[in-house]
């Protein structure tokens, strides 16, 4: 594991703060769901925080991301407002989509978040379009797409890799390999040892990194982003990680072996990064506690914001559609 | 000022004009650039606008459509080309779950201005996977506009309007009309989306149609006129949104309704028109609603079979006579 001695202290604390924020958001959401306050489907990102945090640390506001059904972490890391996100989960009018979307459809276009997506693998080629738009406008902006190991077996992944390589687009493919496509282990549905090796088929760089180490993720992403910004085309980064819970809240994940759970829980990105910060003298326990406490307050405020917000008016379901199919014009 | 050009030239001209006036407009698809597509609708545009604005893509319908979705979500105005409508099954998720929903799902934070140009229809012995009229798949999706043109002038005007529209629009071209000549206004020309055209006035029966079939309806109306039956032919031009008023006003006058389209009848677009009239305007009618459509089978290859599959002038005439 890389030493932190040359790292900027503020940046390190921000990485920690973001991971803590994502975790706190997810743990709170899970509790609220189990208490019956949240509805629908909730796919938690707990355990994978280092990926979104490390990647988005390399991005600017004018860079784009596309996300997944497990998208809360990506949205927070790219700068989405925590209050509006919580309101979206509650189905309240102050949510990002006036609450027509919910957990799987959070987007903040002003922050470059083109959206979570309820269709596994659908966001991958949409990022190709966003990356094309960067090139079309002759910016040095990039587009990043997050997706899981399951999605890497969809045709969208392969079409998107090939197309972005062929057109030399500034797209960065971030595969969050949490090792299960819902319940099925990756090894069962692919003969590939790694997902990153598939990059070779499209003649682009591919690398596998420790997805529980925010520094390793950030360093790999920084190289890919620099390549993309300077017109060198796409990169595939596979981040090996683990989701702490089931596919969604309510899935007890009986398909995960207890011993694997134990091993991977020990690799939890947050306590490990905290220990590393303390061991290398970047931060002390009091500073870390302060981040935890401030984050708790933030989450509590978000919950209050959401609970106090009104439900949307019924007519909102017709907003943002310009037209009815067959209105009478009398 | 107007000049005589073909349907294909009208498509090309509409794109040329809109690309010249708005730098956000670009075309993407298979063979659209160097080759100008198999039927010539984009010939010369790459030479004029360059390879970024007329983008030759790999053969990847899914990624081509998504490229359009992603680019449109951040403010470009793509024209996505799928030569044959039959191929759109390959990218159905991108149309159904992404393009049609995105602006709504994000609460209007962005709009999705995106055109999908595609060819519908049978009649060139292209068999079951290159001949379908699948418009009712797309008219069932909130958020998606669908237009179809029966002639070069409307083609140009509808396509220019579609490119300027802030919603995703599927623009249906008809492959048997590509060589059709007609008088087309020069320069910028807009046909409003959602406004039907009374292609022929009449007082005895209303025939509602769209796309290629309008021309067969007009031919049938000519024959019927010689027999003393004055048919009014409505060219819908826009399937979504539908100009319901034009239909209701016409049947208030004629009291008889025939719907003719190239697509299969069962669950086809004509069923929606029939249902709307039955629900809201049945009092106008003195006879049952009649439909002339393709039968519920696949489009066959052999010429006699294909000719029997696609509704023709005779079938329209016979159907009208049953209403009189």
């Amino acid at each position: 594991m890389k030493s932190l001695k040359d790292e900027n202290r503020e940046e390190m604390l921000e990485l920690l703060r973001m991971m803590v924020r994502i975790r706190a958001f997810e743990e709170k959401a899970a509790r609220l769901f189990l208490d019956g306050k949240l509805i629908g489907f909730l796919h938690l990102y707990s355990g994978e925080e280092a990926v979104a945090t490390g990647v988005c640390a390399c991005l600017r506001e004018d860079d784009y991301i596309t996300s997944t059904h497990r998208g809360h972490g990506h949205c927070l890391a790219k700068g989405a407002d925590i209050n509006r996100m919580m309101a979206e989960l509650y189905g309240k009018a102050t949510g990002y989509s006036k609450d027509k979307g919910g957990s799987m459809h959070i987007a903040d276009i002003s922050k470059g978040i083109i959206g979570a997506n309820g269709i596994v693998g659908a966001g991958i080629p949409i990022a190709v379009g966003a990356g094309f738009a960067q090139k079309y406008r002759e910016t040095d902006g990039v587009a990043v797409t997050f997706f899981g190991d399951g999605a890497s077996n969809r045709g969208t992944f392969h079409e998107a890799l090939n197309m972005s390589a062929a057109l030399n687009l500034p797209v960065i493919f971030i595969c969050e390999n949490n090792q299960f496509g819902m319940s099925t282990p990756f090894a069962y549905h692919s003969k590939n040892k790694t997902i990153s090796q598939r990059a070779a088929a499209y003649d682009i760089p591919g690398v596998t990194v420790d997805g529980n180490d925010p520094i390793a993720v950030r360093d790999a992403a920084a190289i890919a982003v620099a390549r993309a910004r300077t017109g060198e085309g796409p990169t595939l980064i596979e981040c090996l990680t683990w989701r702490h819970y089931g596919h969604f809240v309510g899935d007890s994940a009986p398909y995960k072996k207890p011993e694997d759970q134990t091993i991977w829980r020990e690799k939890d990105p947050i306590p490990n990064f905290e220990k590393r910060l303390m061991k290398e003298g970047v931060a002390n326990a009091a500073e870390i506690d302060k981040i935890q406490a401030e984050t708790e307050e933030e989450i509590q405020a978000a919950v209050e914001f959401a609970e106090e917000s009104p439900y949307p008016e019924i007519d909102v379901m017709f907003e943002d559609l310009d037209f009815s199919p067959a209105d009478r014009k009398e | 000022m107007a000049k005589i050009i073909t349907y294909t030239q009208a498509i090309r001209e509409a794109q040329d004009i809109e690309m010249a006036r708005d730098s956000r407009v670009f075309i993407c698809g298979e063979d659209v650039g160097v080759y100008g597509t198999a039927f010539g609708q984009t010939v010369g545009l790459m030479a004029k606008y360059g390879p970024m604005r007329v983008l030759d893509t790999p053969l990847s319908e899914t990624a081509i459509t998504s490229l359009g979705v992603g680019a449109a979500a951040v403010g470009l105005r793509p024209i996505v080309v799928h030569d044959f409508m039959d191929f759109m099954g390959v990218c159905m998720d991108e149309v159904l779950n992404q393009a049609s929903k995105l602006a709504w799902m994000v609460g209007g934070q962005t709009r999705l201005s995106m055109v999908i140009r595609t060819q519908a229809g049978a009649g060139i012995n292209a068999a079951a996977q290159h001949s379908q009229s699948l418009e009712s798949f797309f008219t069932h999706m909130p958020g998606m506009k669908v237009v179809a043109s029966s002639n070069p002038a409307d083609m140009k005007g509808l396509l220019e309007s579609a490119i300027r529209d802030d919603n995703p629009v599927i623009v249906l071209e008809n492959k048997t009309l590509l060589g059709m000549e007609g008088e087309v206004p020069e320069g910028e020309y807009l046909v409003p989306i959602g406004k039907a055209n009374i292609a022929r006035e009449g007082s005895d029966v209303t025939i509602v149609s769209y796309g290629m079939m309008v021309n067969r309806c007009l031919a049938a109306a000519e024959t019927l006129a010689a027999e003393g039956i004055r048919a009014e032919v409505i060219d819908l031009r826009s399937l979504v949104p539908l100009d319901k008023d034009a239909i209701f006003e016409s049947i208030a006058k004629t009291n008889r309704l025939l719907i003719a389209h190239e697509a299969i009848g069962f669950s086809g677009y004509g069923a929606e028109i029939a249902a709307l009239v039955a629900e809201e305007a049945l009092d106008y009618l003195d006879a049952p609603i009649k439909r002339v459509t393709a039968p519920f089978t696949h489009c066959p290859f052999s010429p006699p079979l294909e000719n029997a599959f696609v509704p023709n002038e005779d079938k329209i005439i016979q159907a009208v006579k049953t209403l009189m």
Side-chain angles (χ1 to χ4, degrees):
Chain A
M1 209 169 266
K2 189 180 159 192
S3 159
L4 303 180
K5 68 176 166 40
D6 295 330
E7 299 288 351
N8 177 294
R9 190 182 113 88
E10 292 309 312
E11 190 196 341
M12 293 301 102
L13 292 178
E14 277 314 299
L15 289 177
L16 176 64
R17 184 184 294 279
M18 185 56 75
M19 292 201 295
V20 169
R21 180 182 286 136
I22 296 168
R23 175 70 57 89
F25 185 90
E26 297 297 60
E27 300 293 322
K28 188 68 176 180
R31 267 200 305 282
L32 292 166
F33 188 89
L34 295 171
D35 290 347
K37 290 195 168 181
L38 298 186
I39 34 126
F41 279 115
L42 211 51
H43 305 89
L44 299 183
Y45 196 63
S46 295
E48 307 182 26
E49 294 88 347
V51 181
T53 302
V55 171
C56 290
C58 304
L59 300 182
R60 306 187 307 234
E61 196 162 279
D62 61 350
D63 293 321
Y64 300 122
I65 68 164
T66 66
S67 170
T68 70
H69 57 290
R70 199 178 307 288
H72 306 160
H74 312 138
C75 295
L76 285 169
K78 189 65 172 56
D81 179 75
I82 201 164
N83 289 0
R84 294 187 70 191
M85 282 183 60
M86 192 61 87
E88 188 77 30
L89 265 51
Y90 265 84
K92 296 297 186 71
T94 52
Y96 263 113
S97 69
K98 305 169 194 166
D99 242 287
K100 296 183 291 189
S103 165
M104 284 188 277
H105 305 292
I106 295 172
D108 186 339
I109 303 293
S110 70
K111 295 273 168 44
I113 304 165
I114 301 174
N117 209 309
I119 306 296
V120 171
I124 307 172
I126 292 176
V128 175
F132 173 78
Q134 299 280 29
K135 185 168 176 175
Y136 188 92
R137 289 174 167 145
E138 298 177 352
T139 71
D140 68 345
V142 305
V144 170
T145 179
F146 294 95
F147 55 97
D149 45 302
S152 75
N153 290 327
R154 275 208 60 199
T156 52
F157 167 83
H158 296 277
E159 288 194 8
L161 246 64
N162 183 61
M163 190 178 283
S164 59
L167 303 176
N168 198 41
L169 301 178
V171 184
I172 296 135
F173 296 85
I174 305 292
C175 180
E176 300 175 317
N177 183 356
N178 65 23
Q179 309 180 51
F180 290 88
M182 195 138 85
S183 73
T184 310
F186 184 74
Y188 180 84
H189 48 217
S190 175
K191 205 172 176 182
N192 292 143
K193 293 281 183 290
T194 68
I195 294 166
S196 64
Q197 75 191 66
R198 292 178 178 178
Y202 303 101
D203 211 3
I204 64 170
V207 61
T208 300
V209 299
D210 177 356
N212 281 16
D213 176 358
I215 305 299
V217 173
R218 184 209 58 182
D219 287 351
I223 294 167
V225 169
R227 273 176 46 80
R229 289 206 198 289
T230 52
E232 291 179 66
T235 303
L236 170 62
I237 301 174
E238 175 186 15
C239 303
L240 201 58
T241 184
W242 186 260
R243 63 170 144 79
H244 281 189
Y245 302 113
H247 175 59
F248 52 86
V249 179
D251 167 24
S252 62
Y255 43 85
K256 288 185 176 179
K257 292 183 196 145
E259 57 269 35
D260 288 341
Q261 277 281 39
T262 306
I263 291 166
W264 278 94
R265 283 284 191 151
E266 281 167 13
K267 297 183 188 177
D268 187 329
I270 296 173
N272 278 305
F273 193 56
E274 288 173 347
K275 274 185 229 154
R276 194 166 159 195
L277 290 175
M278 288 193 283
K279 193 175 155 203
E280 301 210 29
V282 180
N284 59 39
E287 287 168 315
I288 290 169
D289 287 347
K290 186 161 172 274
I291 286 174
Q292 294 276 9
E294 285 168 355
T295 304
E296 278 307 319
E297 279 173 32
E298 241 182 287
I299 301 290
Q300 201 43 48
V303 169
E304 282 164 24
F305 173 80
E307 292 196 345
E308 286 163 13
S309 293
Y311 280 106
E313 301 291 332
I314 301 297
D315 279 353
V316 166
M317 77 168 100
F318 301 107
E319 282 182 17
D320 310 309
L321 282 178
D322 269 6
F323 56 94
S324 300
D327 270 345
R328 294 209 73 174
K329 298 172 196 75
E330 55 201 10
Chain B
M1 286 292 286
K3 61 179 183 229
I4 306 283
I5 57 173
T6 65
Y7 195 83
T8 298
Q9 287 167 328
I11 295 165
R12 187 194 170 283
E13 191 168 295
Q15 294 172 110
D16 190 5
I17 289 169
E18 294 303 310
M19 289 179 77
R21 68 178 285 280
D22 187 344
S23 64
R24 297 170 299 175
V25 178
F26 72 96
I27 302 172
C28 60
E30 294 155 30
D31 308 303
V32 297
V34 175
Y35 189 43
T37 68
F39 302 94
Q41 295 100 320
T42 56
V43 162
L45 295 179
M46 183 192 250
K48 186 168 177 184
Y49 295 103
M52 281 301 276
R53 295 193 68 195
V54 186
L55 183 71
D56 269 327
T57 62
L59 198 161
S60 304
E61 282 83 358
T62 299
I64 295 166
T65 312
S66 280
L67 188 148
V69 171
V74 300
L76 297 184
R77 300 177 87 86
I79 302 168
V80 171
V81 179
H82 294 303
D83 250 357
F84 290 84
M85 190 175 204
D86 315 70
F87 305 165
M88 289 183 67
V90 179
C91 60
M92 196 54 117
D93 178 65
E94 284 58 42
V95 180
L96 167 68
N97 280 315
Q98 314 302 331
S100 80
K101 293 189 173 84
L102 196 136
W104 183 92
M105 273 192 315
V106 303
Q109 292 178 57
T110 186
R111 303 308 310 262
L112 208 82
S113 177
M114 167 170 162
V115 168
I116 299 178
R117 276 188 39 230
T118 191
Q119 292 181 75
I124 61 163
N125 310 110
Q129 294 171 334
H130 289 74
S131 300
Q132 295 168 94
S133 296
L134 301 172
E135 53 272 19
S136 63
F137 286 14
F138 304 103
T139 59
H140 199 60
M141 296 177 188
M144 190 67 71
K145 292 186 178 179
V146 182
V147 301
S149 163
S150 66
N151 61 77
D154 281 348
M155 187 70 246
K156 179 177 172 183
L158 286 169
L159 182 51
E160 287 200 54
S161 293
I163 293 167
R164 294 188 197 186
D165 203 287
D166 284 337
N167 300 281
V169 186
I170 293 183
V171 178
L172 301 179
E173 299 164 11
N174 193 289
K175 50 183 92 75
T176 61
L177 299 183
L178 292 175
M180 177 187 186
E181 292 189 330
E183 199 165 274
V184 177
E186 292 188 71
E188 290 181 25
Y189 178 57
L190 300 173
V191 168
I193 294 176
K195 187 93 186 83
N197 178 41
I198 310 296
R200 180 190 177 107
E201 287 193 24
S203 54
D204 298 332
V205 59
T206 299
I207 306 177
V208 173
S209 189
Y210 56 88
M212 178 281 282
M213 195 57 66
V214 170
N215 301 305
R216 294 195 175 175
C217 292
L218 287 169
E222 190 67 29
T223 305
L224 287 164
E227 300 179 31
I229 298 171
R230 289 160 297 180
E232 178 146 298
V233 178
I234 298 182
D235 180 351
L236 290 177
R237 302 195 290 199
S238 168
L239 308 191
V240 182
L242 170 67
D243 187 353
K244 200 162 63 172
D245 290 356
I247 300 170
F248 289 4
E249 280 161 22
S250 179
I251 60 172
K253 178 174 67 176
T254 64
N255 313 120
R256 287 174 174 78
L257 174 61
L258 175 81
I259 303 155
H261 61 54
E262 206 179 332
I264 289 168
F266 192 86
S267 281
Y269 187 73
E272 184 59 43
I273 298 173
L276 285 170
V277 170
E279 283 179 336
E280 300 178 33
L282 195 59
D283 291 349
Y284 293 145
L285 295 183
D286 292 338
I289 300 166
K290 190 91 186 158
R291 285 184 287 163
V292 173
T293 69
F296 196 75
T297 184
H298 301 296
C299 181
F301 169 67
S302 173
L305 298 185
E306 187 181 43
N307 290 340
F309 176 82
V310 183
N312 59 20
E313 192 184 320
D314 266 355
K315 284 180 182 158
I316 297 162
I317 292 167
Q318 293 315 313
V320 165
K321 287 182 175 171
T322 67
L323 297 176
M324 305 314 293

